[in-house]
Amino acid sequence: MSSLFPKVFVDFDGTITTHDVGNEFFRKFGNEAESLKAVAEWKSDGLSGRDLILREAGFVKTTQNEALEFAKSFTIDSFFSAFVDYCRQNEVELTILSDGLDFYISEILSANHLSEIPFYSNIARFDTDTIKIEFPYESTCPKCANCKGHQILTRTGIDDLIVYVGNGFSDRCAVDYADIIFAKDDLLKYCEANNITFFPFEDFSEVLSKFRKTFESKKFRKRHRAELKRREAYLSE
Ligand SMILES: [Mg+2]
């Protein structure tokens, strides 16, 4: 039996929301062709996460009101709130980590009565009809603007058991340090290609069901490779 207690980290775009809000924002209000090109470059590690966002943001023409209206049109996974409730009832800390932008995350969380969930993301400052991006969580990671691996290391200790739920390329650094991983889409392919153990999921009903079973049977186990990576990182700080 294990007495390990989990800390849950969840990606936002395409994991909590049913679509990638950040990508769609840049395509609609920026330059779609340039965005597609930049994302492809980033996926092949030819562009850093920070430069990707700066390049896409440079084309944006919209007001804050218009951007918030756009954010309101997105829906979230219909089982996410049930997962949040379960975590809350069992005093499991749940944190959102995003390499996207703050304005649509807070707007969508608030529209779904989930504003109490803490989130860490990049920040967009609106200036009439353009935006400026701020990066409050810079790290040495060349792939990410807000590195989720760095975030996890900052927000956990050596004894925590880390659960991660995500769907994309910006989750790559997070899964290196996670013990229990729920993955879909690009993240699922990444885990498969790198022999990282994960649970596939389509929506949060599957995450909730598997998480509840593990939580109630107290069968949490650390993933050896993640534990070694974390130890290495904690010790090098
Ligand atoms: Mg995502």
Side-chain angles (χ1 to χ4, degrees):
M1 293 287 256
S2 160
S3 60
L4 291 170
F5 204 78
K7 277 191 177 172
V8 177
F9 294 90
V10 186
D11 164 53
F12 188 77
D13 284 270
T15 299
I16 293 173
T17 50
T18 53
H19 290 81
D20 192 311
V21 186
N23 275 350
E24 295 199 19
F25 171 75
F26 284 128
R27 284 177 199 166
K28 183 171 170 69
F29 298 108
N31 180 318
E32 184 169 7
E34 287 293 337
S35 269
L36 291 172
K37 212 161 77 184
V39 169
E41 233 179 282
W42 167 69
K43 282 189 175 181
S44 60
D45 285 333
L47 192 66
S48 73
R50 182 193 164 100
D51 288 343
L52 167 67
I53 298 176
L54 287 175
R55 197 187 290 181
E56 291 190 287
F59 292 105
V60 167
K61 283 270 173 281
T62 185
T63 62
Q64 186 166 19
N65 282 345
E66 193 178 28
L68 292 176
E69 276 308 309
F70 174 75
K72 278 187 199 139
S73 67
F74 287 87
T75 52
I76 65 165
D77 182 310
S78 42
F79 299 97
F80 180 63
S81 294
F83 180 68
V84 172
D85 286 345
Y86 184 80
C87 289
R88 195 182 295 133
Q89 283 154 16
N90 291 284
E91 295 176 7
V92 173
E93 224 177 84
L94 186 151
T95 305
I96 296 171
L97 300 179
S98 172
D99 213 357
L101 302 173
D102 62 327
F103 75 90
Y104 62 78
I105 299 174
S106 55
E107 189 67 24
I108 293 169
L109 289 179
S110 148
N112 289 280
H113 313 290
L114 296 168
S115 295
E116 80 288 356
I117 304 176
F119 74 86
Y120 300 95
S121 73
N122 307 303
I123 292 174
R125 302 267 181 227
F126 287 85
D127 182 9
T128 316
D129 65 348
T130 60
I131 56 169
K132 281 202 171 55
I133 308 297
E134 291 174 9
F135 302 100
Y137 307 109
E138 280 188 275
S139 70
T140 52
C141 177
K143 298 178 199 167
C144 313
N146 175 28
C147 178
K148 299 174 189 186
H150 178 74
Q151 286 282 4
I152 287 174
L153 290 173
T154 308
R155 299 179 193 290
T156 59
I158 209 140
D159 293 325
D160 291 320
L161 183 123
I162 294 150
V163 179
Y164 193 79
V165 191
N167 80 322
F169 270 88
S170 70
D171 303 311
R172 287 176 294 179
C173 296
V175 297
D176 279 348
Y177 300 112
D179 297 296
I180 297 178
I181 298 156
F182 292 92
K184 62 178 179 177
D185 308 331
D186 284 339
L187 185 63
L188 181 150
K189 288 180 204 147
Y190 175 78
C191 289
E192 277 180 342
N194 291 281
N195 292 318
I196 297 170
T197 312
F198 67 97
F199 296 109
F201 77 101
E202 287 294 324
D203 62 40
F204 270 90
S205 67
E206 292 163 85
V207 178
L208 173 57
S209 145
K210 181 75 201 169
F211 183 77
R212 176 189 277 151
K213 228 180 260 172
T214 314
F215 190 79
E216 285 167 13
S217 64
K218 295 191 167 57
K219 278 189 180 151
F220 284 124
R221 259 194 216 107
K222 289 198 175 178
R223 192 168 63 89
H224 187 57
R225 263 166 73 192
E227 198 180 10
L228 285 180
K229 275 231 155 200
R230 290 203 299 273
R231 266 179 205 285
E232 228 170 76
Y234 293 134
L235 290 175
S236 71
E237 269 172 10

